[in-house]
Amino acid sequence: MRVAVLGLGLIGGSVALAARDRADGVTVAGFDPDPAALAGALAGGAVDEACDSPAAALEGAAICFLCAPVTVLPALLAETLAAAPADCVVTDVGSTKLGIVRATDDERFVGGHPIAGSEAAGIEHARADLFEGAPWYLTPGTRSSGVLYERLYRLISDFGARPSAIDAETHDRMLAKVSHLPHVVANILVAQAGEGGDTLPRVGPSFRDATRVAGANSGIWTGIYTTNAEAIADEVEAAAARLSDFAGLLRAGDAAAIESWNESAREDRRRLLEADLEGGVLHELHVSVPNQPGIVAQVALALGKGGVNIVDMALAPAPDNRSGSITLWIAGDDPAAKARELIGQLGFPVLEPS
Amino acid sequence: MRVAVLGLGLIGGSVALAARDRADGVTVAGFDPDPAALAGALAGGAVDEACDSPAAALEGAAICFLCAPVTVLPALLAETLAAAPADCVVTDVGSTKLGIVRATDDERFVGGHPIAGSEAAGIEHARADLFEGAPWYLTPGTRSSGVLYERLYRLISDFGARPSAIDAETHDRMLAKVSHLPHVVANILVAQAGEGGDTLPRVGPSFRDATRVAGANSGIWTGIYTTNAEAIADEVEAAAARLSDFAGLLRAGDAAAIESWNESAREDRRRLLEADLEGGVLHELHVSVPNQPGIVAQVALALGKGGVNIVDMALAPAPDNRSGSITLWIAGDDPAAKARELIGQLGFPVLEPS
């Protein structure tokens, strides 16, 4: 089976590597408008054949992946559908889905969105195992062919990903809530903190965590914001309304309501992380450590050797800093107990708040 | 010199330990309404003397630290000023300052706020080095005695902290912006994502980072929200207005304005982190790593051994492991170059975005 990959960055390169390494009898034909990326893909073993046009890569292809920025996808999709064989399934990997799904009624197209890789970019970071265990949303249109959908589904499963079907609008609204809105909020927080001019405030660890994605890659994110504008605007306005409501609680000085609001948030975050994990109840461990370099590594290493998976980690008050308190989130009662035991063996006190 | 510490949790216990270990000729008298905390402080060597009342601890004291929740402080301050010797400087460690500074005109009082320790609580996590390198704000009132201020300043410097004076209102407004607002926003994000009922969305790493402090300890945070309500409400409303403005950009489909807004945020975050560090230009390194346990530890360990300080770290797309990309922030050109070299020796590709 011939697989065409159009666009050989981190995601396209990883799709190509995964297709060659993890599926039987697949050859990969790749194209990228950047000759260096194309040469890198060939040299790195991501593609069997480096093609000089999308049409050349599509010749005889059974599956085609469009791995380009979301703003480029509609034109690339039209070009691809014009050139692709009649029984070739065409999919994309864009972060927003409604626009591209609405762009065609062709039965060969099934939208897709793997949840993997965002920070590092470029073919040199591509890996065959990038999608191992990763959610991979598929958004078939009403006319998408069942046979073609199933072929795509099987290949993505071979990659080690967890494909699941979702309608494009639900996908975009969900991502607006849990991914796009947090990016907007991070940008707002840094803009507001940075407005003071020359005398910038000292920022703490909660600020650093909350703004880690501020100013994420404009090449990707402007496309996400513009192609999912309505859903994101709805979420942004809902968040603005919630903020205004909370400002009202503050000005009213309603301590009981503020405490109850805060407790609800604690419970909401726990529910959300647990739902995401399928790993059992989430435990939050606070570890006090001495003020020495290498301690974070020591703790992470001990848990890694002991087979305990760290779901999330925060260094408090600050990793640059001189004072060492590590918060670890561990899923499941047994792994959490094991973590407490391993950290205890290192001689560090562990506190699990009630 | 006798130092009284009223309240022996994480901060009070650490103040006591630092005073005994790091200053010459100091004896510490401690009080806590919880007998277990008091006994723990005595057993752990935090206090020379465990007292059964604030007044007993204050007898002959030259400096007194009030280490209680912010809502308790006004009453405790009044009691302390009534019992303290005439030349005893009295300070607190509360996270908000305007309320307590306004509560008294006594020349013996100087407000304080060390930026250290927030996640772990309790005397068992107290450490003599908790304040090493940490900012410690001091908010003297207009009537505060210069001699007493200087005595307090010297002891805090002995702790290894970096004391700096700031007026209480500026302090509270700054903290509202860089600490209290991010906490409010985290709560809003989880509430909004959690509102769907039983079918909770899958949350990504940006969501996890942005909401790490959601539902922080209500015992501490309700007090912060209520004692700094006006300043926080102002910041919350300003953020709501910014969100509404951005929703307008989205609905107008203004891609150029959206991109420019995003680029400004990138620059704002860089400026803020650099201003905080005094360590030179901040470098952002993306490291691609294989999908194996222990890799984060390996990288952290290599940098620690090489003397490279990690300012901030993010695991992407997810620390729970399916795919490994690590983003590191390193301050200074030389440390960043060293980091690239050390990580290169481990065989992992490093990308520094322009």
Side-chain angles (χ1 to χ4, degrees):
Chain A
M1 182 169 73
R2 181 168 161 111
V3 171
V5 180
L6 308 186
L8 293 162
L10 171 67
I11 301 294
S14 298
V15 164
L17 282 168
R20 291 195 69 196
D21 287 10
R22 301 192 157 205
D24 287 336
V26 164
T27 59
V28 175
F31 167 76
D32 195 287
D34 174 6
L38 194 56
L42 192 60
V47 300
D48 297 281
E49 189 183 332
C51 302
D52 59 5
S53 73
L58 285 161
E59 250 174 57
I63 303 186
C64 173
F65 290 86
L66 307 180
C67 305
V70 288
T71 47
V72 175
L73 283 174
L76 182 61
L77 175 62
E79 181 184 355
T80 299
L81 290 171
D87 70 338
C88 175
V89 56
V90 176
T91 188
D92 74 312
V93 297
S95 298
T96 58
K97 299 268 60 82
L98 197 54
I100 187 92
V101 165
R102 282 188 179 159
T104 183
D105 274 343
D106 198 295
E107 69 159 22
R108 292 170 295 170
F109 180 66
V110 176
H113 178 204
I115 307 292
S118 67
E119 289 295 332
I123 182 74
E124 68 274 22
H125 288 82
R127 312 196 310 270
D129 68 359
L130 185 68
F131 309 111
E132 182 65 46
W136 191 312
Y137 294 112
L138 292 174
T139 63
T142 47
R143 298 209 194 165
S144 296
S145 151
V147 171
L148 295 183
Y149 178 86
E150 205 268 340
R151 185 191 299 161
L152 176 62
Y153 185 97
R154 265 189 290 121
L155 181 61
I156 288 171
S157 299
D158 286 346
F159 293 174
R162 296 178 289 154
S164 62
I166 185 172
D167 74 280
E169 184 168 0
T170 303
H171 170 277
D172 283 9
R173 296 215 160 260
M174 185 176 77
L175 270 288
K177 203 184 278 288
V178 301
S179 169
H180 309 163
L181 175 62
H183 279 75
V184 172
V185 159
N187 283 9
I188 298 275
L189 287 175
V190 294
Q192 197 154 318
E195 75 190 337
D198 288 343
T199 55
L200 291 169
R202 202 175 277 283
V203 297
S206 62
F207 188 87
R208 254 175 280 196
D209 278 347
T211 63
R212 192 156 291 134
V213 296
N217 188 328
S218 286
I220 294 170
W221 279 87
T222 304
I224 290 173
Y225 290 135
T226 54
T227 57
N228 198 23
E230 291 302 316
I232 301 173
D234 287 349
E235 293 296 333
V236 166
E237 284 169 353
R242 282 176 189 272
L243 287 172
S244 297
D245 287 350
F246 182 65
L249 284 190
L250 286 170
R251 295 205 194 275
D254 189 341
I258 290 169
E259 176 154 348
S260 151
W261 169 86
N262 191 59
E263 287 295 309
S264 297
R266 185 174 192 84
E267 176 61 16
D268 283 331
R269 183 171 199 259
R270 198 191 53 72
R271 281 196 306 132
L272 286 161
L273 265 66
E274 277 184 22
D276 199 33
L277 286 175
E278 306 155 12
V281 175
L282 197 68
H283 293 260
E284 179 178 332
L285 307 185
H286 296 162
V287 185
S288 281
V289 295
N291 185 14
Q292 292 161 11
I295 293 289
V296 172
Q298 193 187 350
V299 170
L301 206 58
L303 296 190
K305 276 187 184 158
V308 175
N309 197 27
I310 302 170
V311 173
D312 201 2
M313 173 191 285
L315 311 180
D320 49 352
N321 191 2
R322 298 127 195 187
S323 137
S325 164
I326 308 174
T327 303
L328 301 169
W329 284 268
I330 310 283
D333 293 339
D334 291 346
K338 180 83 178 171
R340 275 190 294 270
E341 179 194 332
L342 291 166
I343 297 167
Q345 286 168 6
L346 295 174
F348 305 141
V350 182
L351 179 77
E352 182 165 1
S354 56
Chain B
M1 183 170 72
R2 181 168 161 113
V3 171
V5 180
L6 308 186
L8 294 161
L10 170 67
I11 301 293
S14 297
V15 164
L17 282 167
R20 291 195 68 195
D21 286 11
R22 300 193 158 206
D24 288 335
V26 164
T27 58
V28 175
F31 167 77
D32 196 288
D34 174 7
L38 194 57
L42 192 61
V47 300
D48 297 281
E49 189 183 331
C51 300
D52 59 6
S53 73
L58 285 161
E59 248 174 61
I63 303 185
C64 173
F65 289 87
L66 307 179
C67 306
V70 288
T71 47
V72 175
L73 284 173
L76 182 60
L77 175 62
E79 181 182 356
T80 299
L81 290 172
D87 70 338
C88 175
V89 56
V90 177
T91 189
D92 74 313
V93 297
S95 299
T96 58
K97 299 268 58 85
L98 197 54
I100 187 92
V101 164
R102 281 188 179 159
T104 181
D105 275 341
D106 197 296
E107 67 159 24
R108 292 171 295 172
F109 181 66
V110 175
H113 178 204
I115 308 291
S118 65
E119 289 295 332
I123 183 73
E124 68 274 24
H125 288 83
R127 312 195 312 270
D129 68 358
L130 184 68
F131 309 110
E132 182 66 45
W136 191 312
Y137 294 112
L138 291 174
T139 63
T142 46
R143 297 207 196 167
S144 296
S145 151
V147 171
L148 295 183
Y149 177 85
E150 205 268 338
R151 184 192 300 160
L152 175 62
Y153 185 97
R154 266 190 289 121
L155 181 61
I156 288 171
S157 299
D158 286 346
F159 292 174
R162 296 179 288 155
S164 63
I166 185 171
D167 74 281
E169 184 168 0
T170 303
H171 170 278
D172 283 9
R173 297 217 159 258
M174 185 177 78
L175 271 288
K177 203 185 278 288
V178 300
S179 169
H180 310 162
L181 175 62
H183 279 76
V184 172
V185 159
N187 283 10
I188 298 276
L189 287 174
V190 295
Q192 197 154 317
E195 73 190 339
D198 288 344
T199 55
L200 290 169
R202 201 174 277 283
V203 296
S206 62
F207 188 86
R208 253 175 280 193
D209 278 347
T211 62
R212 191 156 291 133
V213 296
N217 188 328
S218 287
I220 293 171
W221 279 87
T222 304
I224 291 175
Y225 291 135
T226 53
T227 58
N228 197 23
E230 291 302 316
I232 301 173
D234 287 348
E235 293 296 334
V236 165
E237 284 170 353
R242 283 175 189 273
L243 287 172
S244 297
D245 288 349
F246 183 64
L249 284 189
L250 286 169
R251 296 207 194 274
D254 189 340
I258 290 169
E259 177 153 348
S260 148
W261 169 86
N262 191 58
E263 287 296 309
S264 297
R266 185 173 191 83
E267 176 60 17
D268 283 332
R269 184 172 199 258
R270 198 191 54 70
R271 281 195 307 132
L272 287 162
L273 265 66
E274 277 183 22
D276 199 34
L277 285 174
E278 306 155 13
V281 176
L282 197 68
H283 292 261
E284 180 178 331
L285 307 184
H286 295 163
V287 185
S288 280
V289 293
N291 188 13
Q292 292 160 11
I295 293 289
V296 172
Q298 194 186 349
V299 171
L301 207 57
L303 296 190
K305 276 185 184 160
V308 174
N309 196 28
I310 302 170
V311 174
D312 201 3
M313 172 192 284
L315 312 179
D320 57 16
N321 210 1
R322 294 122 187 200
S323 130
S325 163
I326 308 175
T327 303
L328 300 170
W329 284 268
I330 310 284
D333 294 338
D334 291 345
K338 179 83 179 171
R340 274 190 295 270
E341 180 195 331
L342 291 167
I343 297 168
Q345 286 168 6
L346 295 175
F348 305 140
V350 181
L351 179 77
E352 182 165 1
S354 56

